[in-house]
Amino acid sequence: MNDMFEALEALTDRDPDRRDVAADVLGDLLRGAALDADSARLVVGRLVSVAVNEPVAKVRESALNSVSEAFNHYRLPLTLVEPAAAAMPTMERQLLVHTLYILGATHDPQAWPLIEPFLHHPDPEVCEEARLAAAEITAVESEGLTHNS
């Protein structure tokens, strides 16, 4: 647990390389399912905030990559990651791809309006990720499953 708190603290360091490493460390904790559900939500919430507010692109990408990793082991609600969607219109391609993946991984039908505008994006990789994200939501809806947050 100390690793988590140290990494969360390092997310606010002046040095962007330390912030980047901190985001990666938190991703490792999420990837390894080393956190309980409440801690995972805390970490993901902080990483989403970094992804939206961080001035350095590589740190934003590390934060979003770590959030993506969380969905392999935790059920996370759309409301937790939704702040990243507000930044999507100004995101670079790779950040946009991560964010679309994250929205689809929530399996929440309410993510559809956030994904839909990117189905016709000029970048083929963005379009494909939007299609995959929409398919994740559609598959859950057609199975009659609902996402519990």
Side-chain angles (χ1 to χ4, degrees):
M1 199 61 88
N2 278 348
D3 288 347
M4 180 189 84
F5 290 118
E6 288 173 14
L8 287 171
E9 179 66 28
L11 285 177
T12 62
D13 196 277
R14 289 178 183 236
D15 181 358
D17 290 333
R18 291 210 42 186
R19 295 193 306 270
D20 189 46
V21 169
D24 286 340
V25 167
L26 293 169
D28 290 343
L29 293 172
L30 292 164
R31 183 177 21 267
L35 305 174
D36 61 48
D38 289 337
S39 295
R41 286 179 186 217
L42 170 70
V43 166
V44 168
R46 288 286 302 280
L47 288 168
V48 168
S49 179
V50 168
V52 172
N53 299 308
E54 169 64 42
V56 178
K58 74 175 184 173
V59 180
R60 287 194 311 269
E61 185 171 359
S62 292
L64 287 172
N65 186 53
S66 293
V67 172
S68 298
E69 295 286 348
F71 284 94
N72 292 327
H73 300 287
Y74 303 96
R75 290 182 60 103
L76 301 167
L78 174 63
T79 55
L80 186 62
V81 298
E82 199 167 13
M88 287 171 67
T90 60
M91 284 183 177
E92 298 91 352
R93 179 188 52 80
Q94 196 56 38
L95 302 179
L96 192 51
V97 167
H98 279 302
T99 304
L100 287 165
Y101 171 85
I102 290 164
L103 293 173
T106 67
H107 300 282
D108 189 325
Q110 293 181 12
W112 169 251
L114 304 172
I115 295 166
E116 192 272 332
F118 297 94
L119 290 169
H120 304 289
H121 193 275
D123 186 299
E125 187 178 358
V126 172
C127 285
E128 178 62 10
E129 195 58 51
R131 187 191 65 74
L132 292 170
E136 284 289 319
I137 293 169
T138 305
V140 170
E141 286 179 326
S142 68
E143 292 171 10
L145 303 175
T146 58
H147 178 71
N148 298 320
S149 43

